[in-house]
Amino acid sequence: MAEAPIAVCIIAHAHPAFTKGGGEMAAFREFTTLRAAGHRAILVAAAEMGPAVPGGRLLRHGPDEHLYDPYGMTEDRLFWSDLAAREALLALLVAQPVQVFHIHHLWRVGLDLVAALMEARPDARFVLTLHEMLAICAHHGQMIRTRGRELCHASAPALCANCFPERTPRHFALRRATWLTLLNRFDGAIYPSDFLRRRFRDWGFAAREETVLENFLGEELAAAPRAPAEPGLGQHFAFFGQPTPFKGLDVLIRGFALALAREPGLFLSLHGCEREEVLRLFPALEAALEAAGPAIFFAGRYDAGDVLGLMRLSGWVVVPSIWWENSPVVIQEARRAGVPLIVSDIGGMAEKVRPGLDGLHFRRGNAPDLARVLLAAAAPGRQEALAASQADSIGREEFLARLLPALAGAAGG
């Protein structure tokens, strides 16, 4: 841990009071954890706060907590089109009495804003947490082909132009050069998974200092007692997350329906989404949902503070994402809850869940293989055995012991 308190300004692409994504939750939990540990932490986060205002909108949200309006950005949210809004935000950031700027995401923050801040504050240290692969992939950082769901294992200008035929290979070569020019100016990078660190290295970015550090769940969840596994829940599966085309809900529902046809006692609860939302994304699932009937329950939205209790009502948490997923917070939450996981066999999911210890893997995007794993998971004693061997998520002291050197400039890898 650092010998003396540090002062850090955390810049985030969103605030969890407005959206509940993993990146903004990680930034906010870092903010509150540093403050509780006696450090000076200032949070500046994007938030959509009503109709667009020329020149932007800045709002104090609490002690050392500020919101800015991202409406003045270009369509891809990587640069500012409203230069007056950018300059107002820049002035706020430059004035912060900090030694370190820690940036979570560059989307809705702006490559041009960060470059200007680096010029204006040459005395400060700049650290970036990379939560995704937006720098590498223009398809929302997913590294999935736009015409189909084939995974990309590496980017190249010609391949990217094939996904976006309205753009040329030269456009993607310039895009890569623009990103690398800025990334190489950072003093350090934090990766929530080694998978993501390796993917960026393969792409051509190796930070001066690199730290692989799991996102922290925050003081409240970290302090909650880790209850023993409830008996008799081996046939109850649960999903936690927002309905998106990449979260694999269609794979999960189809796989569950196949398993249910062979084992009628299975049950699936879907937390964070409603039936209508799922059918808007995947209308072809209506027949599978009708066939499953009450065996699939849509639990709707939930509060992050309730997640451990909700997870403990199920025997398994399923993470069926079809994209690489760097470090989904649901995995840390399930580990904290003591509930074993069933995850796709790629990316950060495969890294975080050790087969036979923390949970089980199935072949990404393959509903029949997921059905096979669900049936194996439902076997008597399987859930209890894996719940007993599952690792916990990172604790507060370990998180701070790794984070502070990364921020202060003595990263240990």
Side-chain angles (χ1 to χ4, degrees):
M1 189 172 293
E3 294 181 0
I6 65 169
V8 55
C9 178
I10 300 165
I11 306 172
H13 72 296
H15 192 288
F18 298 85
T19 62
K20 301 294 186 183
E24 54 265 42
M25 292 297 295
F28 185 76
R29 285 164 172 167
E30 177 190 335
F31 166 65
T32 57
T33 301
L34 285 171
R35 285 170 64 86
H39 300 279
R40 177 76 186 274
I42 298 165
L43 178 67
V44 180
E48 296 175 356
M49 299 176 283
V53 175
R57 182 190 285 115
L58 300 172
L59 179 69
R60 183 180 292 276
H61 191 59
D64 283 336
E65 199 170 349
H66 306 269
L67 302 176
Y68 69 88
D69 190 337
Y71 282 127
M73 304 196 76
T74 55
E75 184 179 352
D76 60 8
R77 300 295 190 268
L78 292 175
F79 297 90
W80 287 83
S81 54
D82 187 334
L83 298 186
R86 186 188 72 185
E87 291 307 303
L89 177 56
L90 177 63
L92 171 70
L93 293 170
V94 168
Q96 297 309 308
V98 298
Q99 306 153 314
V100 184
F101 289 93
H102 184 193
I103 299 168
H104 289 257
H105 278 296
L106 288 166
W107 181 72
R108 300 216 314 179
V109 173
L111 279 70
D112 53 340
L113 173 77
V114 175
L117 181 58
M118 288 174 168
E119 292 292 334
R121 287 295 307 272
D123 59 305
R125 178 175 164 82
F126 286 83
V127 178
L128 174 66
T129 288
L130 286 156
H131 290 282
E132 35 60 44
M133 297 177 285
L134 184 61
I136 304 173
C137 174
H139 189 206
H140 311 296
Q142 307 288 340
M143 295 200 75
I144 294 179
R145 304 303 297 272
T146 58
R147 290 173 286 182
R149 303 208 294 187
E150 178 187 355
L151 289 174
C152 284
H153 293 265
S155 69
L159 291 174
C160 296
N162 185 255
C163 274
F164 296 92
E166 72 280 8
R167 305 175 194 173
T168 66
R170 183 175 182 272
H171 166 89
F172 289 102
L174 291 173
R175 182 184 189 276
R176 178 179 181 274
T178 300
W179 273 96
L180 280 173
T181 297
L182 181 64
L183 293 180
N184 284 324
R185 294 180 65 182
F186 278 90
D187 298 290
I190 298 175
Y191 301 94
S193 71
D194 190 57
F195 158 77
L196 191 64
R197 183 188 67 85
R198 288 184 281 109
R199 185 55 61 94
F200 267 93
R201 279 198 162 193
D202 291 344
W203 178 67
F205 173 60
R208 281 175 256 174
E209 297 176 13
E210 295 180 337
T211 301
V212 176
L213 176 62
E214 185 63 86
N215 294 323
F216 181 50
L217 288 178
E219 303 276 350
E220 182 180 352
L221 296 185
R226 199 162 183 254
E230 291 286 339
L233 292 175
Q235 293 188 317
H236 188 163
F237 304 91
F239 169 89
F240 289 81
Q242 302 176 42
T244 77
F246 304 112
K247 289 293 183 181
L249 270 169
D250 56 329
V251 179
L252 173 57
I253 290 171
R254 290 192 177 100
F256 179 80
L258 292 172
L260 183 65
R262 292 184 56 187
E263 181 56 70
L266 303 183
F267 184 77
L268 172 65
S269 55
L270 303 172
H271 299 264
C273 54
E274 301 287 355
R275 179 188 175 104
E276 294 75 19
E277 293 176 301
V278 174
L279 287 176
R280 276 197 296 271
L281 279 174
F282 307 106
L285 289 179
E286 187 165 10
L289 289 173
E290 289 295 330
I296 296 181
F297 172 66
F298 286 87
R301 298 289 187 265
Y302 62 93
D303 187 90
D306 298 330
V307 68
L308 301 187
L310 292 172
M311 285 182 168
R312 287 171 182 149
L313 297 175
S314 301
W316 302 86
V317 171
V318 186
V319 185
S321 297
I322 64 168
W323 79 287
W324 298 97
E325 289 273 23
N326 163 40
S327 183
V329 68
V330 67
I331 290 181
Q332 287 88 267
E333 291 168 340
R335 289 170 60 178
R336 186 83 272 273
V339 179
L341 290 129
I342 298 171
V343 303
S344 300
D345 62 345
I346 58 169
M349 296 174 289
E351 176 183 326
K352 306 290 181 181
V353 177
R354 302 166 299 170
L357 290 174
D358 305 307
L360 304 169
H361 292 182
F362 73 95
R363 187 171 293 278
R364 170 255 181 201
N366 191 314
D369 194 54
L370 175 55
R372 174 189 65 81
V373 173
L374 294 175
L375 291 169
R382 187 69 160 153
Q383 189 268 350
E384 291 84 354
L386 290 187
S389 62
Q390 186 185 38
D392 202 345
S393 60
I394 190 170
R396 175 183 182 273
E397 294 308 315
E398 181 185 355
F399 174 72
L400 286 172
R402 302 282 310 284
L403 173 67
L404 291 171
L407 295 179

